[in-house]
């Protein structure tokens, strides 16, 4: 697969660090259009999955494991400095799966993992959306676009519905029997009025990193608040990345690429 297609734009060479944003189920990188170009000193880079937006003619990725291998290959040239992955709900698990693939392959591994509104991989699959029928999913897509301030035509909704169904099938298949301790600092981010994933359901993430590298944050907002890049979320991200790269993020996990 072409490496250039995994990001909407080529990252800047002068960025001190990078934050890669993984899209939500059924959507593409443009869902992060309201986010700033940088958070703290980190350049924001939105990841684009196949079968949507500018990659609409490409086949669906299949499983999270297949997706992770391809994303890792595509992002590898840009993992030459401290970096983090952010994913919300249906974007959190592909982000984690990619980090896990990098770790297992001895490649540069994220210094920071930001998992928002999602249970840990050994606690899933979980979520109301996994049991919805097509009409219910269509209504959820319409609500999502309304949250973005858009009024898509029915053809766009139908196109997105097919992608959403395939994405949810990948979610249903993803499960780890046991937690894997990662070298990354891991931040489990919940939202106080989120009706989809409650913050207390995210405790399993504590088993995916060393005790002193696990952090929990509960922010004001609902399931869609993250779309607007609220100040509280950006502060959590910036403060975490300001602490610097984890001391041994390359130890046993591959050297940074020059």
């Amino acid at each position: 697969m072409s490496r250039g297609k995994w990001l909407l734009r080529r990252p800047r060479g002068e960025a001190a660090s990078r934050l890669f944003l993984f899209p939500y189920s059924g959507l593409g990188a443009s869902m992060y259009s309201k986010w700033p170009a940088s958070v703290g000193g980190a350049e924001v880079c939105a990841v684009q999955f196949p079968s949507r937006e500018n990659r609409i003619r490409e086949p669906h990725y299949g499983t999270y494991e297949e997706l992770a291998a391809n994303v890792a290959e595509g992002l590898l040239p840009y993992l030459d400095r401290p970096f983090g992955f952010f994913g919300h709900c249906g974007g959190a698990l592909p982000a984690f799966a990619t980090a896990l693939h990098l770790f297992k392959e001895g490649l540069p591994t994220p210094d920071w993992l930001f998992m928002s509104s999602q249970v840990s991989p050994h606690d899933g699959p979980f979520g109301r959306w996994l049991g919805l029928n097509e009409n219910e999913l269509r209504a959820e897509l319409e609500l999502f676009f309304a949250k973005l301030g858009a009024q898509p035509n029915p053809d766009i909704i139908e196109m997105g519905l097919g992608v959403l169904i395939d994405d949810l099938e990948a979610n249903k298949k993803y499960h780890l029997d046991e937690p894997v301790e990662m070298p990354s600092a891991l931040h489990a981010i919940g939202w106080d009025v989120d009706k989809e994933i409650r913050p207390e359901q995210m405790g399993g993430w504590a088993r995916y990193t060393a005790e002193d590298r696990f952090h929990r944050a509960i922010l004001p907002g609902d399931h869609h608040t993250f779309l607007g890049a609220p100040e509280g979320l950006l502060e959590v991200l910036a403060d975490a990345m300001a602490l610097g790269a984890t001391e041994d993020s390359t130890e046993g996990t591959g050297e940074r690429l020059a």
Side-chain angles (χ1 to χ4, degrees), residues 153-168:
N153 63 45
D155 290 340
I156 293 177
I157 291 293
E158 291 306 310
M159 192 177 301
L161 179 62
V163 175
L164 176 58
I165 290 172
D166 288 342
D167 285 357
L168 293 176

